[in-house]
Amino acid sequence: MRRVAIIGTGQTRHARCRDDASQPELVREAAAAALADAELRPADIDAVLLSNMELFEGRAFPELWAGEGAFACGKPCMKVATGGTSGTSACIAAFHQVASGLFDTALVVGFEKHSEGHTQTGMALTDPFWDRAVASGALGNFALSISEYMTERGVTERQAALVAVKARTNAARNPHAHLKSPEVTVEEVLASRMLAHPVRLFDMCPQSDGACAMVVASEECARRACSRPAWVKATATRHEQPYLGDIDRRLCAMRTLRDASRAVYAAAGIIDPLAELDVAEIYEPVTYAELAWYEALGFCEDGGAGRLIEDGVTSMDGALPVNPSGGVLSTNPVGASGVIRVAEAALQIHGRGGARQVDGARLALATGYGVYAWADAVVLGAEP
Amino acid sequence: MSERIAVKHTMDLAWRYASGEAMERFCADLSDRRIEALRCGGCGRRYLPPRPFCGNCRLRMTERVPVRDVGTLVAWTVVHTPILDGRTGEPRPAPYGMGLIRLDGADTTLNHYLAEADPARLRVGSRVRAVWRPALRGAMDDILHFEVLS
Amino acid sequence: MIREGSIHIPFTYAAGRAASRFLVVLRDEGRILGSPCPACRRVLCPARSFCPRCGEETGEPVVVDPAGTVVSFTETAAGVFGLVRPDGADTAMLHRLLPAGAKWTIGARVRARLLPERTGSITDIEGFEPLEATEDHA
């Protein structure tokens, strides 16, 4: 397998509604930004990978309609679909394509325009015999798992609120972010509208319109084109059983993410992730999930996540800043959200994070999450 | 930017899904108020809903085991914001309680409605019992919801 | 056992920069816009914001002719549909050929028939009809 690096990233402005641009135009905005960042032209790209949740926009073959915005005409182009992890999976597929020697460069673009469809309907069209009998949606499923997690680990609503405050404060330093609230307080989060006990408005990710792209390159191309490539050190993906009720202890166990992270740590030679990682961009659809991920990812022992957020360990000035971008809690165009995690991690290694840059970041983790059924993990480094 | 044009469209999506044998039998049993799980010969896990294969062991399951209509609340929430009902396309009126219920005799949990919508009266570990529809139809919603046993 | 059901899902698609302008000009001025690609020099119709082949952003849109040539066609139960390349454009657009009963050939000359009351939709063009039929009004 050849070494692979991310040599450029690009994002649109993310917002509740981007009705100034069609889907192909939005895709092109991100794709062109990534090419500009990599200082490459469309002709330099060998293959294109897309990520999108087509049922959210009710449009068959999004890879057909949006592909031309990703400069895909005349090139190999495919869409990768693994639920919420689609974006991270598309990145990993591109890494594999380049690592195998099949292509020297690949462009990944994830996109979503929630404003154009009805996301809840898309989420509701699950297993018709069993799941559709109960109106739970993503929100209900999160909330259910949270009651179990709070009971087992003793996490509090206040600790979850601290995650929301961190996300919105970090987002204020990210020019692309959708929701930015630098002044938000724990009290405001705790006073926000109850959606599904104990999940409040500020605990939950938004629905955003946006796109994110990255250029993936072989070692030879990366060394020629990029002064500071973000090297792909390890990747892992894990799949799980289909029904929420099948999965053992859900947030508490999170087998997919636990296994995927252990696999990438082993491959990248990481023994103590909290001490060795410089930054993490993790897919946290809800505040409580970020706490559960701290435990699943081995940033602390089980039951230690509340303390980690209280002590500011994962804040911008902490030992391991988590989601300097503001995370999914601040920006969530679902098909792009996984690509954004990897791109933001790469941005940190590139040293181009601007106001959200973690000083001297040399080892970064990015993760993807898809309704317990999938988890992806990627480790990027300043050294191959 | 000048005027923005939007194209509006309502999609009427119809479906017709085949259940497979295990789910067909499960639904037929519901109309007799009978619940059975399938047990994996490899790991011993008793699956509800019953399905042909254990995903973890990759084995075909054939052993049927009885399951009671009482169980334990493993997780719960009270939904306050309207969530779409996938059967009707209409939001279900809020607030309503939901839970993951491990029925006695099964190892996986069942996602269903709760009769109780007061967070103060719900806790992980509570015992619950199925409330059945008076005229059974052989579908998952033959169980209307679960009531909390005091 | 079969489980049947149905659901209604509302969608609102943004036409975006180029298509919005195309539809506004079609509605307000009854004219058809194309977009010139600065790299391959093709005029793309309907107008779009970038050239799919070259990846370049297109320039200021140009008005193409309502008259054009049938590139291909098919007869269906719902009517006759054709790919029509308007004069002044290098790509063809899919639309209805009117009237359905006419004898169609590849290379036939046609002209766009517009609705008198237009809403800003591609169906503001009712279809394309034989050029001879419209010459008296041209």
Side-chain angles (χ1 to χ4, degrees):
Chain A
M1 297 274 270
R2 303 193 299 174
R3 287 173 176 166
V4 175
I6 298 162
I7 62 169
T9 68
Q11 291 181 55
T12 61
R13 177 176 60 82
H14 307 296
R16 174 76 194 92
C17 181
R18 283 291 312 270
D19 63 0
D20 59 306
S22 67
Q23 290 178 34
E25 287 171 354
L26 196 73
V27 164
R28 190 181 190 282
E29 195 178 317
L35 285 180
D37 192 42
E39 297 180 19
L40 293 182
R41 294 167 301 126
D44 299 324
I45 297 298
D46 294 338
V48 175
L49 291 110
L50 299 174
S51 161
N52 168 259
M53 314 283 275
E54 62 249 48
L55 200 52
F56 291 173
E57 289 96 1
R59 180 207 7 49
F61 328 127
E63 59 277 21
L64 170 62
W65 302 113
E68 65 176 32
F71 309 110
C73 297
K75 302 178 195 296
C77 173
M78 66 169 81
K79 181 168 77 68
V80 175
T82 58
T85 43
S86 292
T88 42
S89 296
C91 295
I92 290 171
F95 301 156
H96 290 175
Q97 286 190 339
V98 175
S100 70
L102 197 60
F103 303 116
D104 288 326
T105 55
L107 179 70
V108 184
V109 191
F111 67 100
E112 207 75 65
K113 291 193 81 181
H114 289 278
S115 72
E116 299 201 335
H118 198 258
T119 303
Q120 264 205 26
T121 311
M123 295 295 293
L125 295 180
T126 51
D127 167 274
F129 297 94
W130 191 255
D131 285 343
R132 272 188 220 182
V134 182
S136 56
L139 171 64
N141 287 345
F142 288 141
L144 283 172
S145 312
I146 290 165
S147 71
E148 195 179 24
Y149 177 62
M150 291 177 88
T151 304
E152 181 171 324
R153 301 279 161 78
V155 163
T156 66
E157 291 184 43
R158 177 165 288 271
Q159 287 165 341
L162 286 168
V163 175
V165 169
K166 174 174 74 68
R168 296 297 168 78
T169 310
N170 287 356
R173 287 189 288 265
N174 175 1
H176 302 284
H178 172 184
L179 299 174
K180 309 174 191 194
S181 336
E183 310 295 334
V184 74
T185 65
V186 167
E187 284 64 36
E188 284 172 271
V189 175
L190 291 173
S192 66
R193 186 160 57 88
M194 185 66 86
L195 301 179
H197 193 89
V199 179
R200 296 175 182 278
L201 184 65
F202 271 86
D203 287 310
M204 191 69 186
C205 60
Q207 295 176 2
S208 316
D209 285 2
C212 178
M214 72 175 62
V215 178
V216 177
S218 65
E219 178 171 18
E220 187 191 342
C221 176
R223 291 203 188 277
R224 193 172 60 233
C226 183
S227 59
R228 202 167 165 180
W231 298 98
V232 179
K233 295 180 74 73
T235 69
T237 72
R238 288 293 183 277
H239 189 62
E240 191 37 297
Q241 292 184 287
Y243 299 112
L244 185 68
D246 282 359
I247 295 165
D248 182 37
R249 289 161 58 242
R250 291 151 286 270
L251 284 179
C252 300
M254 200 57 197
R255 173 171 83 162
T256 49
L257 192 61
R258 227 167 256 261
D259 290 356
S261 62
R262 293 317 178 275
V264 291
Y265 295 160
I270 295 169
I271 295 159
D272 181 351
L274 185 67
E276 295 173 53
L277 291 170
D278 297 313
V279 60
E281 277 286 341
I282 65 175
Y283 196 120
E284 62 353 340
V286 59
T287 51
Y288 294 88
E290 175 160 330
L291 297 172
W293 298 174
Y294 290 171
E295 297 170 5
L297 292 168
F299 295 171
C300 59
E301 73 284 9
D302 286 351
R307 185 73 192 276
L308 214 61
I309 189 78
E310 283 176 347
D311 290 350
V313 175
T314 55
S315 302
M316 277 306 280
D317 54 0
L320 175 54
V322 173
N323 293 1
S325 65
V328 179
L329 285 171
S330 304
T331 304
N332 187 33
V334 173
S337 289
V339 183
I340 294 173
R341 303 281 71 70
V342 181
E344 285 284 337
L347 199 69
Q348 293 288 343
I349 304 293
H350 292 153
R352 298 175 197 153
R356 64 190 186 285
Q357 178 68 42
V358 174
D359 284 343
R362 298 184 61 78
L363 195 64
L365 173 73
T367 71
Y369 162 87
V371 202
Y372 304 99
W374 294 274
D376 291 342
V378 174
V379 174
L380 303 177
E383 304 294 334
Chain B
M1 178 174 158
S2 48
E3 184 182 354
R4 295 172 187 181
I5 299 282
V7 178
K8 289 184 185 294
H9 172 68
T10 298
M11 185 193 292
D12 298 324
L13 186 65
W15 57 79
R16 192 171 176 280
Y17 295 109
S19 66
E21 187 188 342
M23 183 61 83
E24 179 166 0
R25 172 143 173 197
F26 173 76
C27 288
D29 283 351
L30 285 177
S31 46
D32 298 327
R33 292 180 64 146
R34 183 171 61 241
I35 305 172
E36 287 181 342
L38 276 168
R39 185 176 177 278
C40 173
C43 63
R45 204 171 190 217
R46 295 163 296 178
Y47 280 95
L48 198 71
R51 73 208 71 168
F53 298 99
C54 171
N56 285 332
C57 303
R58 305 169 185 96
L59 292 175
R60 178 175 277 279
M61 298 189 288
T62 54
E63 186 194 346
R64 312 190 72 85
V65 293
V67 176
R68 295 180 65 204
D69 69 351
V70 295
T72 303
L73 194 59
V74 169
W76 62 271
T77 184
V78 175
V79 176
H80 291 272
T81 194
I83 292 179
L84 204 80
D85 187 327
R87 293 167 303 172
T88 62
E90 298 298 322
R92 182 178 172 89
Y96 58 92
M98 276 178 39
L100 288 176
I101 296 133
R102 180 173 291 119
L103 293 176
D104 294 353
D107 292 302
T108 62
T109 58
L110 164 64
N111 188 356
H112 217 302
Y113 299 120
L114 300 173
E116 184 61 69
D118 177 3
R121 302 179 61 160
L122 291 167
R123 61 176 49 84
V124 171
S126 293
R127 294 288 290 166
V128 295
R129 177 168 59 206
V131 176
W132 294 80
R133 182 190 296 282
L136 300 172
R137 303 190 294 197
M140 194 51 240
D141 53 6
D142 278 350
I143 297 174
L144 293 170
H145 50 242
F146 283 81
E147 60 184 4
V148 179
L149 302 172
S150 49
Chain C
M1 184 179 72
I2 302 292
R3 182 79 79 228
E4 295 185 64
S6 66
I7 205 165
H8 311 285
I9 319 174
F11 296 99
T12 304
Y13 299 110
R17 287 190 300 279
S20 286
R21 188 148 171 202
F22 174 90
L23 294 170
V24 166
V25 168
L26 178 63
R27 181 191 66 196
D28 297 345
E29 303 171 27
R31 299 198 290 178
I32 299 170
L33 292 184
S35 300
C37 170
C40 67
R41 304 288 169 192
R42 292 185 306 160
V43 173
L44 310 164
C45 183
R48 66 206 69 183
S49 58
F50 57 90
C51 173
R53 191 180 291 172
C54 308
E56 297 283 332
E57 284 196 29
T58 53
E60 184 67 13
V62 296
V63 175
V64 302
D65 208 282
T69 304
V70 173
V71 174
S72 69
F73 68 93
T74 181
E75 293 176 12
T76 75
V80 181
F81 295 90
L83 284 169
V84 176
R85 185 172 59 237
D87 295 349
D90 294 288
T91 62
M93 54 198 283
L94 176 64
H95 221 301
R96 200 174 272 279
L97 299 185
L98 302 170
K103 174 74 181 156
W104 290 101
T105 55
I106 288 174
R109 296 286 294 161
V110 291
R111 184 185 184 91
R113 184 163 88 198
L114 303 185
L115 288 171
E117 299 289 325
R118 295 185 293 270
T119 60
S121 157
I122 190 66
T123 52
D124 285 349
I125 301 173
E126 272 189 283
F128 287 83
E129 55 191 353
L131 195 55
E132 311 85 69
T134 64
E135 272 171 353
D136 294 345
H137 316 289

